[in-house]
Amino acid sequence: METSHYVLGGQYEVKTAPHEMRMSLWIYAPIILERATQKRVLDLSHGPWDLRRLGEDDGRIVLTLARYPEGDREHIVEVDPRQGMAIVAGVRHPLGEIDTVLAAIA
């Protein structure tokens, strides 16, 4: 089931797109949309990332993600949609590089 949450004063929508990784095992990948334009700020819907928790901190959207099949390890990704940046493991990256950055997480 797809879900939606509104963050940063309702300016952004975080949706989860479910997909079945194997029989009866589902992950819920995050998609962040700017509500005014419906522009996709972040789209992890075609990867192995499962959204575990969602929060906000200092103008950033804080995603707690787990990579399938490593469900016991969680990774924090702080998305600053206004600056087009994400913070992963304390390092700032352009959002356009987020797939590569997440793929490199050991």
Side-chain angles (χ1 to χ4, degrees):
M1 170 168 42
E2 187 174 282
T3 61
S4 292
H5 300 277
Y6 301 99
V7 294
L8 301 182
Q11 293 178 333
Y12 296 91
E13 178 180 7
V14 179
K15 294 176 143 186
T16 56
H19 66 258
E20 192 172 20
M21 295 304 287
R22 58 179 196 176
M23 192 165 64
S24 299
L25 180 63
W26 292 81
I27 65 169
Y28 296 86
I31 301 168
I32 300 175
L33 300 170
E34 182 179 29
R35 290 185 67 205
T37 63
Q38 289 300 297
K39 175 185 170 200
R40 286 185 184 222
V41 174
L42 177 78
D43 186 349
L44 299 178
S45 65
H46 292 95
W49 294 100
D50 185 35
L51 180 63
R52 297 288 175 88
R53 282 183 295 289
L54 172 66
E56 299 178 43
D57 185 35
D58 196 28
R60 293 187 299 263
I61 302 165
V62 181
L63 308 172
T64 302
L65 305 173
R67 178 176 30 204
Y68 175 82
E70 304 164 5
D72 58 335
R73 290 188 60 208
E74 293 183 339
H75 306 277
I76 306 296
V77 177
E78 297 180 51
V79 177
D80 187 336
R82 294 177 184 114
Q83 293 186 14
M85 302 295 287
I87 301 169
V88 180
V91 179
R92 294 175 61 84
H93 303 276
L95 279 173
E97 298 175 7
I98 196 67
D99 288 328
T100 303
V101 170
L102 290 175
I105 290 177

